[in-house]
Amino acid sequence: MGALFSNLWWGSSMDYCGRKVTLNVILIVLVSFGLLSAVPVSDSKEIGFTWLLFCRFGVGMGYGGVQQITVYQSEFFPKKSRGVFLTLIEFFFAGGLILTALLGMVVLGYFALGWRWYLFIVAIMALLSLPLYWFILPESPRYLIAKGEEEKALKVLKLIAKLNCKQIHVKKLVLAEKKEEPEPQKPLHRIDAVNLWEAGESSKQNEVAMENFVELFYKRRCNQERVCWTKRAKKSIRLLLSDGMWKTLVLTTVLWYVFDTLMIGGSLLIPLVLRSNLQCGNSENTTGCSCQGNVNCTKLENDDYLNIAWSVSSDFPSSIIAAILIELIGRKLTMAIGLTGTMAALLLLFICVSEVVTTFFLFLFRGFSIAAYLVMYTYTAEVYPTRVRGIAQSIGGLASFIGAAVTPFIAQVLFCESHYLAIGTYAGLALAAAIAALLLPIETKGKATMD
């Protein structure tokens, strides 16, 4: 629920307050409420439970902005390698998931320290990354130029050039003064960020690229900041609902909903499927849960944590495959193939096989779904213009969190009634999403982002 409430706010903050500031605030919210979740405040169960709900709501508010990191990253990579880099970033996500699974096995399993210690250690690990966000990561130069802060943008570009052992030569970075008059309607331009990673660029090419980079990012300054923000908000809404964008917005929203329904549902399904001991022709409940009355909760064993880590390890090869396919056959087709493979892997769970083979099917399910999921992150960051990229990502994130809220009723309640009905529901959603991916009106492969 916290993610649902905060998601659109984070997107607006990214477009109005800046990428770096917003990401730092997101991390601070996550760490603060994560640490508070581990603090016992009362011996009363009612007060303690209320406090925990409040803290987890706060963690959810921070988590609602995690997807915005892709917006920030997409504004630094050149178009010919943007898809590859954005996809391979999943290595860090997968590594974090595996680390938390193994940490759970050690803290909750071997040492039996309890869940409070587990939450505390995880929050401390997140806290260690705060100096990196606060002191090292620069603001997006695209955002700075869009805000009219050319000097700051130039400093960032020079820093990037220095880190990549390149030189950037710009004689002048000043926008011509323009009269305060209504802005004429201009067609959207597609440009690519200054490519500081390519070798052999001449000083003249750098200069021309920078001039184009600045010119296309020009925005009229406003003396009244509040009025300026209101006008930008209205423009953003009109742009998202324009003839060239509304179909993309609808389809990407549907895809985000399905992706998080599948991803969160898969995380819930893995231990249930491995414990279900399905027998051919039998969809009776064998998971130890009770669909009527009280639910018999059972602790995860060490083997359960290892199975989760093993399933998540499929993210590594799937990331590499997605990074290759995304530049060969495009974003839309890669997503469609991943979703079709997800559906096939789910249907394979209907076959009665050993636990080892079932684990392999779950490995395939996770691998195909994460490959398509990564491409979706890349596509959303590429297809929308810079001035609405944050809010567009938030709309998709809002749909994804709704899917995350709904999926436990499928993965746990419906699965408790019938294994096959729950798995079939996920397979049907994957098929519908594959069709939606093919219907997307814009293919972003090899194209520069809009501004």
Side-chain angles (χ1 to χ4, degrees):
M1 292 301 296
L4 289 175
F5 279 102
S6 66
N7 190 262
L8 291 177
W9 188 88
W10 292 128
S12 301
S13 177
M14 287 284 286
D15 291 336
Y16 183 68
C17 299
R19 303 340 191 189
K20 180 177 179 178
V21 172
T22 303
L23 291 175
N24 276 289
V25 174
I26 289 170
L27 183 58
I28 291 172
V29 171
L30 276 170
V31 171
S32 299
F33 283 100
L35 289 172
L36 291 174
S37 298
V39 177
V41 294
S42 174
D43 294 332
S44 171
K45 291 183 178 180
E46 291 77 11
I47 297 177
F49 184 67
T50 303
W51 171 257
L52 181 62
L53 286 179
F54 168 74
C55 292
R56 299 319 290 176
F57 182 87
V59 171
M61 290 187 64
Y63 184 73
V66 169
Q67 293 179 341
Q68 298 296 337
I69 188 65
T70 311
V71 174
Y72 175 82
Q73 293 165 334
S74 67
E75 295 176 350
F76 283 89
F77 297 133
K79 65 180 180 181
K80 69 177 184 180
S81 58
R82 184 174 56 236
V84 174
F85 282 118
L86 289 176
T87 304
L88 292 180
I89 287 172
E90 171 60 19
F91 274 72
F92 296 95
F93 285 99
L97 289 173
I98 292 174
L99 181 60
T100 53
L102 297 179
L103 183 65
M105 183 177 66
V106 174
V107 176
L108 302 176
Y110 286 116
F111 293 101
L113 296 177
W115 59 270
R116 293 189 186 277
W117 274 104
Y118 177 75
L119 293 179
F120 176 77
I121 294 173
V122 171
I124 290 297
M125 292 169 62
L127 179 63
L128 296 177
S129 63
L130 184 58
L132 173 66
Y133 275 77
W134 194 271
F135 297 108
I136 299 179
L137 293 183
E139 179 59 273
S140 165
R142 282 182 176 271
Y143 172 80
L144 289 173
I145 295 179
K147 292 283 288 184
E149 299 178 2
E150 298 87 10
E151 294 298 327
K152 292 182 180 179
L154 180 58
K155 290 181 180 179
V156 173
L157 291 171
K158 287 182 176 180
L159 173 63
I160 297 173
K162 181 179 179 180
L163 292 174
N164 289 276
C165 301
K166 305 295 179 184
Q167 291 185 349
I168 181 169
H169 302 279
V170 182
K171 291 181 179 178
K172 197 174 184 181
L173 191 61
V174 179
L175 296 178
E177 294 294 331
K178 295 192 176 184
K179 296 181 180 180
E180 292 291 332
E181 56 184 358
E183 295 180 6
Q185 295 294 327
K186 295 181 180 180
L188 293 174
H189 296 277
R190 288 183 173 273
I191 69 167
D192 187 31
V194 180
N195 189 350
L196 301 175
W197 293 267
E198 292 184 355
E201 287 187 321
S202 66
S203 300
K204 183 178 181 180
Q205 287 175 323
N206 278 330
E207 182 179 340
V208 173
M210 175 57 71
E211 291 174 354
N212 292 336
F213 188 54
V214 173
E215 178 61 26
L216 288 174
F217 267 103
Y218 177 80
K219 277 193 175 182
R220 179 173 54 88
R221 293 180 178 84
C222 260
N223 292 327
Q224 298 179 352
E225 191 68 18
R226 183 175 299 177
V227 174
C228 202
W229 182 88
T230 303
K231 289 182 178 180
R232 285 206 305 270
K234 291 180 179 178
K235 284 184 179 181
S236 298
I237 295 173
R238 285 199 300 267
L239 180 57
L240 287 173
L241 298 180
S242 64
D243 291 338
M245 278 291 159
W246 74 267
K247 292 180 181 178
T248 302
L249 182 65
V250 170
L251 289 172
T252 54
T253 302
V254 170
L255 285 166
W256 275 114
Y257 171 82
V258 174
F259 275 125
D260 259 58
T261 302
L262 290 172
M263 297 301 298
I264 303 299
S267 300
L268 298 173
L269 273 179
I270 289 173
L272 291 176
V273 169
L274 293 175
R275 284 167 169 257
S276 63
N277 298 319
L278 256 88
Q279 297 178 356
C280 293
N282 177 30
S283 62
E284 296 297 325
N285 168 41
T286 57
T287 60
C289 64
S290 174
C291 298
Q292 296 178 353
N294 295 326
V295 176
N296 299 320
C297 297
T298 57
K299 292 184 178 180
L300 294 177
E301 304 293 338
N302 289 338
D303 289 342
D304 295 322
Y305 290 111
L306 290 175
N307 285 331
I308 293 173
W310 165 250
S311 299
V312 173
S313 67
S314 63
D315 293 12
F316 296 116
S318 62
S319 300
I320 296 173
I321 294 173
I324 295 173
L325 293 179
I326 198 173
E327 298 297 347
L328 287 179
I329 62 177
R331 280 60 165 157
K332 294 166 54 177
L333 190 55
T334 304
M335 274 193 285
I337 292 174
L339 288 163
T340 304
T342 300
M343 179 191 68
L346 286 168
L347 295 178
L348 286 174
L349 293 174
F350 288 172
I351 303 174
C352 301
V353 291
S354 65
E355 183 176 339
V356 174
V357 179
T358 299
T359 303
F360 176 70
F361 290 161
L362 292 171
F363 182 92
L364 291 178
F365 162 61
R366 174 78 187 186
F368 278 114
S369 58
I370 197 65
Y373 192 49
L374 291 174
V375 179
M376 188 63 205
Y377 265 106
T378 302
Y379 183 85
T380 306
E382 292 175 332
V383 73
Y384 293 105
T386 299
R387 56 178 168 164
V388 295
R389 191 170 293 134
I391 190 65
Q393 179 72 62
S394 289
I395 293 173
L398 181 63
S400 70
F401 292 130
I402 293 174
V406 171
T407 195
F409 294 96
I410 303 173
Q412 294 178 319
V413 179
L414 185 59
F415 187 86
C416 190
E417 294 286 351
S418 171
H419 301 120
Y420 301 128
L421 184 58
I423 295 172
T425 300
Y426 284 122
L429 286 173
L431 177 61
I435 296 173
L438 293 174
L439 293 177
L440 287 168
I442 302 173
E443 172 58 68
T444 59
K445 173 181 174 290
K447 295 181 180 178
T449 54
M450 289 189 294
D451 299 283

